[in-house]
Amino acid sequence: MNGAENLLRSLHGAGVDVCFANPGTSEMQFVDALDRTRLMHCILGLFEGVVTGAADGYARMARKPAVTLLHLAPGLANAGANLHNARKARTPILNLVGDHARRHLRYEAPLTADVPGTAAVFSDWVRTVRSTETIAGDAMDALAAAWGHPGQISTLIIPADIGWDEGGNMEPAERAAATQPRALDAEMLRRAAASLGPDAVILCGGGVLESPEALKRLSDIGAATGAEVMASGPLRRAERGAGHFELHRIPYPIDDALKVLSRFRRAVLIEALPPVAFFAYPDRPSLLLPGDCDVLPLADFDQDGPAAVAALAEEIGAKPRPLPATAPCEPPASGPMDDAALSTAIAAALPEGAIVVDESLTSANSVAARSTGAPPMSWLAITGGAIGIGIPLATGAAVACRDRPVISLQADGSAMYTLQALWTQAREELNVTTIIFANHGYQILKHELFKVGANPGPEALNMLELNRPELNFVELARGMGVPGRRVSDPRALYETIRNVSAEPGPFLIEVML
């Protein structure tokens, strides 16, 4: 048994059974070990950003990390944008990154680069394996770091010769203990409870939005105190739909966000940071809460958010109350494909148990508001602002939950960053319905251009157009093995989503806007 096989056997014994991979020569010993052991399901991505985005989606839904297999510093750098998103989401991922054999490094071969330095940019934990005797234990340390609370990005760098060498202690290592949540502060709990009232807001993120029980208790707290409850920060995963308490989100446009938050004088944070604008703008503040707002961090990300909600409800004596009834969205009639009709068609068509992946950006703006009465669903969104995560995220979520339909809401510009993920969906026969919003431009960047006070001319606007030539996503999808259809009528969109999401395998719908 060589080092690569020992590492894989150790990870499998610790509960890791999926590997998303885009390997190269320095990882061939792992490719061979994956084949010989058959202990992990290995999923090929045609670009490293697909690999890490899929690992993110998988971990969000499976609630455990997947392994990624990446090639040297250039491959890891290609993976970086979606590792950034996963890091902001605090998603557990374990990257296995090959490096040149130790005796080869001194010759400055073409792919030689600083792998640890590259890893440090996108990782919370980094280690280079030094021997075959330590490889299994190093892997267990990396897994513990990734799987601890909160989740982290771990990167284990493995020189090729350590992977292929035999000898040393080749017994698989046992799983190391992961970090547990830090205890809540009793004094902060008392202060937070005393602060609640009509001019207070509870801002929640992380694990709170994933817990139906925590969401229900937040509803009880809001009803008992008059405090507003809102979702804040990266939306890793939220449980939504009929039977769940729906939290309003802080709007993305800075002026809207400032207006929504202007009335609050106290803010209680539960797995959330003080809300901040995505970017700096002329004559606008960076922090979105009023300057005189008293901010009380009840639970940081390394603490247990749902437990903090339960403790807060008990501290104020909030009694359980029934949630208000929500009605399902009615299907749209035929007509123009304006944003309201587009949102209605999607909200009405969401199937039972859907996983919705949201990288819609500027289109279908009211799907969330219109789907509060839809069947219960899981909602995943872009977390770090690095576009190109939607299609890979949907791919990984579908791998984790093969019995659930995945609906991917996807802007056309950002789709082109990682469109190769469609090929992986076809190869794995995943039930993903990708809805492309074809407005033929980087609309969000057009909005940003005007927000910074620019008076753009034709050349500036031309940089943000995607119409010369016009993209044809149905043909692009077909070339990767995914059937598709163009629609321009909201009723036809509704019926198409209903039909294709009930069938196995991937499908792409290009909505012409």
Side-chain angles (χ1 to χ4, degrees), residues 351-362:
E352 186 79 32
I355 301 169
V356 180
V357 175
D358 182 11
E359 195 179 27
S360 54
L361 303 182
T362 60

Side-chain angles (χ1 to χ4, degrees), residues 115-132:
V115 183
T118 306
V121 178
F122 303 111
S123 307
D124 302 289
W125 185 100
V126 181
R127 182 182 295 173
T128 300
V129 180
R130 300 299 179 190
S131 73
T132 54

Side-chain angles (χ1 to χ4, degrees), residues 37-387:
T37 62
R38 303 294 174 96
L39 295 176
M40 290 191 188
H41 179 46
C42 194
I43 298 170
L44 180 62
L46 299 185
F47 174 65
E48 293 88 342
V50 170
V51 168
T52 51
D56 186 358
Y58 174 88
R60 294 195 205 186
M61 293 308 303
R63 301 186 190 277
K64 66 177 185 177
V67 165
T68 74
L69 187 58
L70 302 168
H71 183 46
L72 298 169
L76 181 56
N78 279 344
N82 279 334
L83 284 177
H84 166 80
N85 285 324
R87 193 179 187 191
K88 290 293 186 180
R90 292 172 175 82
T91 301
I93 293 176
L94 171 52
N95 302 307
L96 303 180
V97 183
D99 200 357
H100 288 301
R102 289 166 293 177
R103 62 177 169 78
H104 198 63
L105 281 170
R106 59 180 169 160
Y107 299 114
E108 196 60 31
L111 277 168
T112 302
D114 183 0
V115 183
T118 306
V121 178
F122 303 111
S123 307
D124 302 289
W125 185 100
V126 181
R127 182 182 295 173
T128 300
V129 180
R130 300 299 179 190
S131 73
T132 54
E133 286 79 9
T134 66
I135 189 171
D138 290 335
M140 293 300 95
D141 289 345
L143 180 62
W147 213 338
H149 185 88
Q152 295 190 108
I153 308 300
S154 294
T155 299
L156 188 65
I157 302 161
I158 309 162
D161 53 326
I162 291 177
W164 71 53
D165 279 350
E166 299 190 13
N169 177 17
M170 283 300 175
E171 289 299 318
E174 294 185 1
R175 179 176 167 184
T179 304
Q180 298 302 306
R182 182 166 55 88
L184 299 173
D185 183 281
E187 175 59 20
M188 184 58 69
L189 175 63
R190 186 195 64 76
R191 289 178 57 198
S195 75
L196 297 181
D199 61 350
V201 61
I202 304 172
L203 299 174
C204 301
V208 175
L209 305 182
E210 301 176 21
S211 168
E213 178 58 29
L215 293 172
K216 176 64 178 63
R217 294 304 279 152
L218 285 170
S219 172
D220 299 333
I221 293 169
T225 64
E228 186 76 31
V229 184
M230 301 185 73
S232 179
L235 183 59
R236 178 176 65 200
R237 173 178 172 180
E239 296 303 306
R240 302 187 53 252
H244 295 299
F245 177 50
E246 183 75 18
L247 272 64
H248 296 296
R249 296 200 69 200
I250 298 172
Y252 169 82
I254 185 169
D255 289 332
D256 295 344
L258 290 169
K259 181 178 179 181
V260 164
L261 297 173
S262 63
R263 69 181 181 88
F264 299 118
R265 294 298 171 265
R266 289 178 296 279
V268 175
L269 307 182
I270 306 177
E271 288 195 58
L273 295 171
V276 61
F278 244 73
F279 304 101
Y281 300 98
D283 304 318
R284 297 290 187 276
S286 292
L287 294 173
L288 300 177
L289 287 167
D292 60 350
C293 183
D294 187 17
V295 178
L296 302 167
L298 175 56
D300 207 341
F301 292 98
D302 65 343
Q303 296 174 294
D304 189 331
V309 172
L312 186 59
E314 182 177 354
E315 182 75 16
I316 67 169
K319 292 181 169 46
R321 301 165 185 255
L323 292 172
T326 51
C329 184
E330 292 297 321
S334 292
M337 190 71 84
D338 58 26
D339 202 78
L342 171 61
S343 299
T344 298
I346 296 168
L350 291 175
E352 186 79 32
I355 301 169
V356 180
V357 175
D358 182 11
E359 195 179 27
S360 54
L361 303 182
T362 60
S363 298
N365 290 304
S366 59
V367 173
R370 295 169 189 263
S371 60
T372 55
M377 73 193 83
S378 300
W379 190 285
L380 316 183
I382 183 171
T383 48
I387 61 175

Side-chain angles (χ1 to χ4, degrees), residues 423-496:
W423 182 89
T424 302
Q425 292 177 11
R427 179 184 173 98
E428 294 290 321
E429 300 179 330
L430 302 175
N431 184 4
V432 181
T433 302
T434 302
I435 305 171
I436 300 286
F437 304 119
N439 56 26
H440 314 297
Y442 290 120
Q443 298 301 119
I444 196 164
L445 294 183
K446 292 181 184 178
H447 297 168
E448 295 294 334
L449 185 61
F450 285 99
K451 266 196 249 181
V452 297
N455 183 21
E459 285 303 310
L461 293 172
N462 184 54
M463 290 288 292
L464 309 180
E465 299 290 353
L466 302 176
N467 57 4
R468 297 197 327 273
E470 184 177 291
L471 295 164
N472 187 321
F473 281 93
V474 172
E475 293 299 322
L476 289 166
R478 186 174 293 124
M480 286 182 277
V482 176
R485 181 181 306 161
R486 278 185 165 181
V487 298
S488 57
D489 176 84
R491 181 71 189 194
L493 174 59
Y494 163 79
E495 292 172 351
T496 303

